[in-house]
Amino acid sequence: MQPLPPTFAERDATVVAPELLNKLALVHGRLARITEVEAYTADDPASHSFKGRTGRNAAMFGPPMHWYVYLIYGMHHCLNLVTGPEGEGQAVLIRSVLIDGVDPARTVGPGRLCRELGVHRSFDGSFAELFDDGIAPPGEPEITPRIGITKAADWPRRWRVVRP
DNA sequence: CAACAGATTCTCT
DNA sequence: GAGAATCTGTTGT
């Protein structure tokens, strides 16, 4: 178990996202293995940072290797890792994770995993504790278009671990 | 102050 | 696979 250095996140979201697969995030004392991610950059019409900095997305423009958490649909939280040079407004959305001893159905989907891990808005802007346990992903990462959004949905910026 | 957005989830078919 | 539900925080006037 080796902690990932902050430099890990100091690169473009499209580079960090696939590397994030099978890494471990420590959230509220629990380890979650990342199995699906999605990259968002400032030039992406679907990104919160597209229209510039606002009160809500401030963390996205903050230092990388920190969490950006927002509330969506008035009820679901989404967890993002801020990446890229500070101030650029890049992030990687964590879409699915696996936790030992927890039914995968509870941790597949951005809203679900936040509920399971107890991630809420107060987590916004905190340092992201990420680890690498050296275990390789079970298969080649699969690159697919994004889902659940209306703008630029066909951009191939979603990565997930293919089940063995 | 009011309109609005929304990167979801669930429940059907 | 498609459509409805659903509710705050955010944003701009």
Side-chain angles (χ1 to χ4, degrees):
Chain A
M1 278 274 289
Q2 214 168 27
L4 294 181
T7 49
F8 175 83
E10 293 173 5
R11 299 166 296 160
D12 280 0
T14 51
V15 175
V16 176
E19 291 189 19
L20 215 41
L21 293 177
N22 224 50
K23 296 293 189 293
L24 299 160
L26 182 62
V27 178
H28 290 142
R30 306 170 76 188
L31 279 175
R33 187 174 301 277
I34 298 167
T35 56
E36 186 174 340
V37 295
E38 197 162 301
Y40 285 90
T41 50
D43 62 338
D44 179 350
S47 173
H48 288 178
S49 58
F50 184 66
K51 293 168 193 156
R53 182 182 196 142
T54 62
R56 158 175 84 153
N57 65 18
M60 233 180 138
F61 290 87
M65 207 65 184
H66 284 62
W67 295 120
Y68 166 49
V69 179
Y70 65 91
L71 183 66
I72 191 162
Y73 290 94
M75 54 181 83
H76 306 293
H77 290 275
C78 291
L79 181 65
N80 305 252
L81 177 69
V82 178
T83 69
E86 179 168 353
E88 283 235 339
Q90 300 186 26
V92 175
L93 170 67
I94 312 297
R95 296 196 65 92
S96 297
V97 300
L98 289 177
I99 306 173
D100 272 354
V102 176
D103 183 355
R106 296 171 64 83
T107 58
V108 172
R112 287 212 190 97
L113 71 89
C114 284
R115 188 179 54 185
E116 176 63 29
L117 286 169
V119 170
H120 47 97
R121 199 80 179 34
S122 70
F123 218 61
D124 187 59
S126 61
F127 183 80
E129 297 187 81
L130 297 173
F131 298 89
D132 185 355
D133 62 359
I135 297 176
E140 282 299 302
E142 179 181 81
I143 309 175
T144 61
R146 301 181 292 185
I147 54 174
I149 59 176
T150 52
K151 301 164 193 161
D154 56 340
W155 291 23
R157 293 197 166 188
R158 179 171 163 239
W159 291 263
R160 73 177 190 191
V161 171
V162 180
R163 287 179 65 170

